[in-house]
Amino acid sequence: MTILQDFTLPELTEYLTANYSVKPYVAKQIFGWLNKSVDFDGMTNISKPLRQQLAENAVAVAARIVQTRVSVDGTQKFLFELSDKNVVEGVLMKYKYGNTLCVSSQVGCRMGCKFCASTLEGLVRNLTAGEILSQVLSVNALGDGSNRYVTNIVLMGSGEPLDNFDNVVKFLRLVTSKDGINISERNISLSTCGIVPKMRFLADMGFSLNLTLSLHNADNAERQAIMPVTNAYSVEEAISACRYYFEKTGRRVIIEYTLIDHQNDTRAHALKLASLLRGMSAHVNVIALNPVKETGLKGTSESNVKKFIQHLTDLGISATRRRTMGQDIEGACGQLRRRYLNDKHD
Ligand code: SAH
């Protein structure tokens, strides 16, 4: 099956002209429907025979919302079903300035971080560009259409975006396109566990995206124990790639630091982190671990989270706590998908 949301407008026009002898203005109408996440049966200005033919060979809505949970704080968690019945999740967080959607880039993940639910069963497959885009389009279509419902995007759902580099780059091109929903690059963040060559490559491509490094420990040996990617790329190499990213793009890099009880949350850890980041244009986002039952790890207590941030601030490092949202709806990476799959097995 061809995923139509994988295409730019010129690509879709070429595909439809070549395979269905469709006129360019009809291709444009179909492109409009795809951007509104409307399936073939809702494309009312397109002829029925064409829609039937298309439905046999192509997919209009690549990531369909099959489950929604709403948290007491307004956060919404979505489960998207792909055309091969795999599921991925996304989270919509509402802020004063707009709505941020967290999307997935892979089904599962092969990075093996010890605290993360997405990677427990390894990588199933990469998402295509259109499958990542479709998560945004499906949620955006929940708005009233008067303006954009999704204003910001973070690539922080399941998967490692830089391990699916080409599809993620194509997604960025599609979602920022003037023909499409035209989200500004500055409103998009990409989070990585630290795949250094790809971070540098991204810097060279000239996007003005925000880059986030999931660091979680400034010490190589300790980080290796929770994030195997450290075996391939050291903490210093990852930080050096962040500095390079800032030099090339002028975008301040965010360091993500998830506090795990008794593992990375002491004053000594804060000191090591501060000296690593010294002189760098970076901000540390601190969050307490969202416990995932399979991992047996615990989040740092409320008072120790505050202490850790205070240590960093005292050392001259810009740090704030990221609000933990949607705790009551299994907001942490991969948890809702696991619950859904477990329920299906029962
Ligand atoms: N692979 C990318 C993006 C997906 S993970 C990355 O590593 O950045 C998004 C963020 O959620 C990362 O910072 C990750 O370390 C963090 N994360 C994963 N599981 C978590 C959990 N149980 N509690 C808190 N943060 C978690």
Side-chain angles (χ1 to χ4, degrees):
M1 293 292 251
T2 305
I3 294 178
L4 298 184
Q5 286 167 325
D6 276 339
F7 293 137
T8 61
L9 177 57
E11 286 167 354
L12 183 73
T13 308
E14 198 188 308
Y15 170 80
L16 292 175
T17 317
N19 296 288
Y20 301 89
S21 310
V22 157
K23 299 240 164 30
Y25 82 92
V26 177
K28 199 165 181 182
Q29 288 172 332
I30 294 177
F31 191 77
W33 290 117
L34 297 174
N35 275 296
K36 292 198 176 79
S37 196
V38 172
D39 211 342
F40 297 118
D41 52 12
M43 299 184 181
T44 46
N45 58 356
I46 309 297
S47 82
K48 270 231 164 96
L50 174 59
R51 285 195 261 157
Q52 270 162 5
Q53 251 185 314
L54 282 172
E56 278 165 28
N57 304 300
V59 176
V61 181
R64 200 178 289 283
I65 298 173
V66 289
Q67 211 183 82
T68 307
R69 286 194 184 187
V70 184
S71 159
V72 284
D73 62 22
T75 303
Q76 295 178 56
K77 182 124 196 182
F78 303 100
L79 206 63
F80 301 101
E81 188 180 72
L82 310 173
S83 52
D84 65 357
K85 303 287 179 210
N86 267 306
V87 288
V88 290
E89 48 197 281
V91 186
L92 186 74
M93 293 154 286
K94 299 191 170 175
Y95 297 98
K96 276 191 222 88
Y97 57 79
N99 296 334
T100 297
L101 180 68
C102 171
V103 295
S104 293
S105 57
Q106 296 177 318
V107 184
C109 182
R110 58 180 183 143
M111 294 297 124
C113 300
K114 295 288 183 285
F115 44 84
C116 179
S118 299
T119 195
L120 286 169
E121 276 146 31
L123 176 68
V124 178
R125 71 169 174 88
N126 281 330
L127 296 191
T128 72
E131 288 173 328
I132 307 173
L133 177 70
S134 187
Q135 299 168 54
V136 178
L137 298 176
S138 289
V139 174
N140 196 51
L142 301 175
D144 65 9
S146 63
N147 50 28
R148 224 187 273 125
Y149 185 56
V150 176
T151 53
N152 298 65
I153 298 171
V154 295
L155 280 153
M156 267 204 189
S158 68
E160 167 50 50
L162 298 186
D163 188 39
N164 183 16
F165 195 81
D166 293 346
N167 290 322
V168 165
V169 166
K170 173 107 194 249
F171 156 71
L172 294 171
R173 297 235 150 87
L174 292 170
V175 80
T176 57
S177 156
K178 293 208 168 54
D179 294 326
I181 63 168
N182 193 10
I183 291 192
S184 155
E185 286 172 14
R186 290 169 172 264
N187 291 350
I188 305 177
S189 301
L190 185 152
S191 181
T192 179
C193 61
I195 304 195
V196 168
K198 294 288 163 53
M199 292 165 76
R200 290 181 168 268
F201 200 47
L202 195 68
D204 289 333
M205 289 182 89
F207 286 112
S208 32
L209 302 175
N210 306 301
L211 182 68
T212 300
L213 172 68
S214 301
L215 187 65
H216 310 325
N217 205 312
D219 178 86
N220 278 307
E222 289 184 14
R223 189 172 188 261
Q224 260 163 30
I226 52 164
M227 299 181 73
V229 69
T230 318
N231 294 313
Y233 308 108
S234 70
V235 164
E236 291 72 23
E237 285 170 316
I239 292 298
S240 157
C242 290
R243 291 182 196 263
Y244 182 73
Y245 192 84
F246 176 71
E247 273 165 35
K248 283 277 165 168
T249 64
R251 311 291 294 161
R252 182 168 76 156
V253 172
I254 304 281
I255 304 295
E256 197 74 15
Y257 201 100
T258 295
L259 290 173
I260 309 171
D261 194 34
H262 288 100
Q263 296 222 1
N264 61 358
D265 58 355
T266 66
R267 187 176 147 73
H269 288 104
L271 269 170
K272 189 142 194 176
L273 178 60
S275 69
L276 183 70
L277 301 182
R278 182 87 39 229
M280 182 177 164
S281 186
H283 175 81
V284 183
N285 243 337
V286 179
I287 179 174
L289 180 85
N290 225 326
V292 173
K293 81 170 183 298
E294 291 86 343
T295 67
L297 297 170
K298 262 179 63 189
T300 295
S301 71
E302 187 68 28
S303 62
N304 284 345
V305 172
K306 287 201 181 108
K307 271 192 207 152
F308 191 82
I309 293 174
Q310 193 58 50
H311 289 323
L312 287 177
T313 315
D314 290 347
L315 293 161
I317 301 296
S318 154
T320 47
R321 171 170 204 171
R322 201 175 62 170
R323 271 195 295 157
T324 19
M325 297 170 100
Q327 286 251 352
D328 53 330
I329 53 166
E330 291 170 288
C333 266
Q335 288 188 38
L336 186 60
R337 171 170 178 266
R338 285 191 66 74
R339 162 71 69 90
Y340 179 81
L341 296 176
N342 288 343
D343 287 355
K344 267 188 139 177
H345 284 294
D346 288 345

mmCIF file of all heavy atoms in Angstrom, residues 115-116 155-157 159-161 191-193 214 216 256 258 289-290 292 332-333, ligand 1:
data_model
loop_
_atom_site.group_PDB
_atom_site.id
_atom_site.type_symbol
_atom_site.label_atom_id
_atom_site.label_comp_id
_atom_site.label_asym_id
_atom_site.label_seq_id
_atom_site.Cartn_x
_atom_site.Cartn_y
_atom_site.Cartn_z
ATOM 1 N N PHE A 115 15.480 2.656 31.651
ATOM 2 C CA PHE A 115 14.332 3.220 32.372
ATOM 3 C C PHE A 115 13.111 3.396 31.463
ATOM 4 O O PHE A 115 12.068 3.862 31.879
ATOM 5 C CB PHE A 115 14.717 4.597 32.935
ATOM 6 C CG PHE A 115 15.466 5.421 31.917
ATOM 7 C CD1 PHE A 115 14.792 6.152 30.966
ATOM 8 C CD2 PHE A 115 16.860 5.411 31.897
ATOM 9 C CE1 PHE A 115 15.479 6.863 30.008
ATOM 10 C CE2 PHE A 115 17.560 6.120 30.933
ATOM 11 C CZ PHE A 115 16.855 6.853 29.984
ATOM 12 N N CYS A 116 13.253 3.053 30.180
ATOM 13 C CA CYS A 116 12.257 3.461 29.188
ATOM 14 C C CYS A 116 11.396 2.280 28.745
ATOM 15 O O CYS A 116 11.903 1.205 28.428
ATOM 16 C CB CYS A 116 12.971 4.070 27.987
ATOM 17 S SG CYS A 116 11.849 4.589 26.677
ATOM 18 N N LEU A 155 9.717 15.619 18.950
ATOM 19 C CA LEU A 155 9.978 14.231 18.548
ATOM 20 C C LEU A 155 10.531 13.533 19.781
ATOM 21 O O LEU A 155 11.740 13.366 19.952
ATOM 22 C CB LEU A 155 10.976 14.203 17.395
ATOM 23 C CG LEU A 155 10.370 14.490 16.019
ATOM 24 C CD1 LEU A 155 11.400 15.094 15.090
ATOM 25 C CD2 LEU A 155 9.786 13.224 15.402
ATOM 26 N N MET A 156 9.619 13.183 20.684
ATOM 27 C CA MET A 156 9.997 12.629 21.984
ATOM 28 C C MET A 156 9.131 11.455 22.364
ATOM 29 O O MET A 156 9.104 11.031 23.517
ATOM 30 C CB MET A 156 9.811 13.698 23.068
ATOM 31 C CG MET A 156 11.008 14.501 23.374
ATOM 32 S SD MET A 156 10.855 15.149 25.041
ATOM 33 C CE MET A 156 12.226 16.261 25.052
ATOM 34 N N GLY A 157 8.377 10.946 21.418
ATOM 35 C CA GLY A 157 7.559 9.767 21.687
ATOM 36 C C GLY A 157 8.440 8.536 21.577
ATOM 37 O O GLY A 157 9.662 8.617 21.763
ATOM 38 N N GLY A 159 10.808 5.685 20.143
ATOM 39 C CA GLY A 159 11.783 5.647 19.065
ATOM 40 C C GLY A 159 12.897 6.651 19.232
ATOM 41 O O GLY A 159 12.791 7.606 20.000
ATOM 42 N N GLU A 160 13.977 6.397 18.500
ATOM 43 C CA GLU A 160 15.110 7.317 18.485
ATOM 44 C C GLU A 160 15.103 7.989 17.107
ATOM 45 O O GLU A 160 15.415 7.338 16.098
ATOM 46 C CB GLU A 160 16.413 6.527 18.734
ATOM 47 C CG GLU A 160 17.695 7.283 18.433
ATOM 48 C CD GLU A 160 17.775 8.673 19.060
ATOM 49 O OE1 GLU A 160 17.534 8.821 20.273
ATOM 50 O OE2 GLU A 160 18.067 9.622 18.311
ATOM 51 N N PRO A 161 14.735 9.272 17.053
ATOM 52 C CA PRO A 161 14.574 9.909 15.738
ATOM 53 C C PRO A 161 15.837 9.868 14.865
ATOM 54 O O PRO A 161 15.727 9.719 13.655
ATOM 55 C CB PRO A 161 14.180 11.351 16.066
ATOM 56 C CG PRO A 161 14.248 11.499 17.538
ATOM 57 C CD PRO A 161 14.332 10.152 18.160
ATOM 58 N N SER A 191 14.531 15.199 20.027
ATOM 59 C CA SER A 191 15.237 14.701 21.203
ATOM 60 C C SER A 191 16.006 13.435 20.849
ATOM 61 O O SER A 191 15.467 12.525 20.226
ATOM 62 C CB SER A 191 14.206 14.405 22.297
ATOM 63 O OG SER A 191 14.840 13.940 23.457
ATOM 64 N N THR A 192 17.271 13.386 21.249
ATOM 65 C CA THR A 192 18.093 12.211 20.932
ATOM 66 C C THR A 192 18.830 11.716 22.166
ATOM 67 O O THR A 192 19.162 12.496 23.059
ATOM 68 C CB THR A 192 19.111 12.521 19.812
ATOM 69 O OG1 THR A 192 19.895 11.344 19.557
ATOM 70 C CG2 THR A 192 20.044 13.668 20.179
ATOM 71 N N CYS A 193 19.121 10.412 22.169
ATOM 72 C CA CYS A 193 19.908 9.852 23.263
ATOM 73 C C CYS A 193 21.397 10.088 22.987
ATOM 74 O O CYS A 193 22.235 9.747 23.827
ATOM 75 C CB CYS A 193 19.608 8.368 23.425
ATOM 76 S SG CYS A 193 20.002 7.406 21.968
ATOM 77 N N SER A 214 19.216 13.777 25.584
ATOM 78 C CA SER A 214 18.833 13.053 26.801
ATOM 79 C C SER A 214 20.117 12.572 27.445
ATOM 80 O O SER A 214 20.708 11.600 26.999
ATOM 81 C CB SER A 214 17.935 11.865 26.450
ATOM 82 O OG SER A 214 16.783 12.337 25.797
ATOM 83 N N HIS A 216 21.023 12.502 31.272
ATOM 84 C CA HIS A 216 20.677 11.714 32.470
ATOM 85 C C HIS A 216 21.845 11.308 33.361
ATOM 86 O O HIS A 216 21.621 10.802 34.464
ATOM 87 C CB HIS A 216 19.864 10.447 32.118
ATOM 88 C CG HIS A 216 18.686 10.697 31.217
ATOM 89 N ND1 HIS A 216 17.930 11.846 31.273
ATOM 90 C CD2 HIS A 216 18.120 9.952 30.237
ATOM 91 C CE1 HIS A 216 16.967 11.792 30.369
ATOM 92 N NE2 HIS A 216 17.067 10.659 29.725
ATOM 93 N N GLU A 256 18.265 17.105 28.655
ATOM 94 C CA GLU A 256 17.185 16.451 29.388
ATOM 95 C C GLU A 256 17.838 15.616 30.499
ATOM 96 O O GLU A 256 18.781 14.858 30.238
ATOM 97 C CB GLU A 256 16.436 15.556 28.392
ATOM 98 C CG GLU A 256 15.088 15.105 28.834
ATOM 99 C CD GLU A 256 14.025 16.186 28.780
ATOM 100 O OE1 GLU A 256 14.239 17.238 28.127
ATOM 101 O OE2 GLU A 256 12.997 15.985 29.441
ATOM 102 N N THR A 258 16.658 13.157 33.555
ATOM 103 C CA THR A 258 15.621 12.448 34.302
ATOM 104 C C THR A 258 16.227 11.915 35.597
ATOM 105 O O THR A 258 17.193 11.152 35.558
ATOM 106 C CB THR A 258 15.073 11.285 33.446
ATOM 107 O OG1 THR A 258 14.420 11.834 32.304
ATOM 108 C CG2 THR A 258 14.079 10.438 34.218
ATOM 109 N N LEU A 289 11.885 10.650 37.235
ATOM 110 C CA LEU A 289 11.543 9.453 36.464
ATOM 111 C C LEU A 289 10.072 9.094 36.642
ATOM 112 O O LEU A 289 9.548 9.125 37.746
ATOM 113 C CB LEU A 289 12.397 8.268 36.932
ATOM 114 C CG LEU A 289 12.126 6.974 36.195
ATOM 115 C CD1 LEU A 289 12.938 6.924 34.913
ATOM 116 C CD2 LEU A 289 12.456 5.773 37.057
ATOM 117 N N ASN A 290 9.451 8.784 35.536
ATOM 118 C CA ASN A 290 8.104 8.262 35.554
ATOM 119 C C ASN A 290 8.262 6.744 35.689
ATOM 120 O O ASN A 290 8.751 6.101 34.760
ATOM 121 C CB ASN A 290 7.482 8.581 34.189
ATOM 122 C CG ASN A 290 6.089 9.125 34.306
ATOM 123 O OD1 ASN A 290 5.335 8.743 35.197
ATOM 124 N ND2 ASN A 290 5.752 9.995 33.388
ATOM 125 N N VAL A 292 8.290 2.901 35.477
ATOM 126 C CA VAL A 292 7.746 1.903 34.551
ATOM 127 C C VAL A 292 7.890 0.589 35.304
ATOM 128 O O VAL A 292 9.002 0.246 35.699
ATOM 129 C CB VAL A 292 8.598 1.859 33.262
ATOM 130 C CG1 VAL A 292 8.172 0.728 32.343
ATOM 131 C CG2 VAL A 292 8.543 3.208 32.535
ATOM 132 N N ALA A 332 4.309 8.371 30.437
ATOM 133 C CA ALA A 332 5.704 8.069 30.085
ATOM 134 C C ALA A 332 5.786 7.232 28.826
ATOM 135 O O ALA A 332 4.928 6.400 28.553
ATOM 136 C CB ALA A 332 6.399 7.340 31.225
ATOM 137 N N CYS A 333 6.884 7.490 28.127
ATOM 138 C CA CYS A 333 7.210 6.792 26.880
ATOM 139 C C CYS A 333 6.794 5.331 26.835
ATOM 140 O O CYS A 333 7.268 4.520 27.608
ATOM 141 C CB CYS A 333 8.721 6.782 26.729
ATOM 142 S SG CYS A 333 9.296 8.112 25.773
HETATM 143 N N1 SAH B 1 15.036 8.523 21.809
HETATM 144 C C1 SAH B 1 14.883 9.922 22.057
HETATM 145 C C2 SAH B 1 13.447 10.408 22.132
HETATM 146 C C3 SAH B 1 12.447 9.540 22.819
HETATM 147 S S1 SAH B 1 12.549 9.422 24.577
HETATM 148 C C4 SAH B 1 15.668 10.318 23.297
HETATM 149 O O1 SAH B 1 16.255 9.452 23.930
HETATM 150 O O2 SAH B 1 15.720 11.496 23.607
HETATM 151 C C5 SAH B 1 12.045 11.001 25.150
HETATM 152 C C6 SAH B 1 12.567 11.369 26.523
HETATM 153 O O3 SAH B 1 11.874 10.647 27.557
HETATM 154 C C7 SAH B 1 14.035 11.082 26.710
HETATM 155 O O4 SAH B 1 14.640 12.148 27.381
HETATM 156 C C8 SAH B 1 13.996 9.826 27.560
HETATM 157 O O5 SAH B 1 15.201 9.625 28.211
HETATM 158 C C9 SAH B 1 12.826 10.125 28.478
HETATM 159 N N2 SAH B 1 12.217 8.995 29.157
HETATM 160 C C10 SAH B 1 12.039 7.739 28.726
HETATM 161 N N3 SAH B 1 11.452 6.980 29.651
HETATM 162 C C11 SAH B 1 11.227 7.784 30.718
HETATM 163 C C12 SAH B 1 10.633 7.590 31.993
HETATM 164 N N4 SAH B 1 10.162 6.418 32.347
HETATM 165 N N5 SAH B 1 10.577 8.656 32.824
HETATM 166 C C13 SAH B 1 11.052 9.862 32.453
HETATM 167 N N6 SAH B 1 11.619 10.109 31.268
HETATM 168 C C14 SAH B 1 11.715 9.082 30.402
#
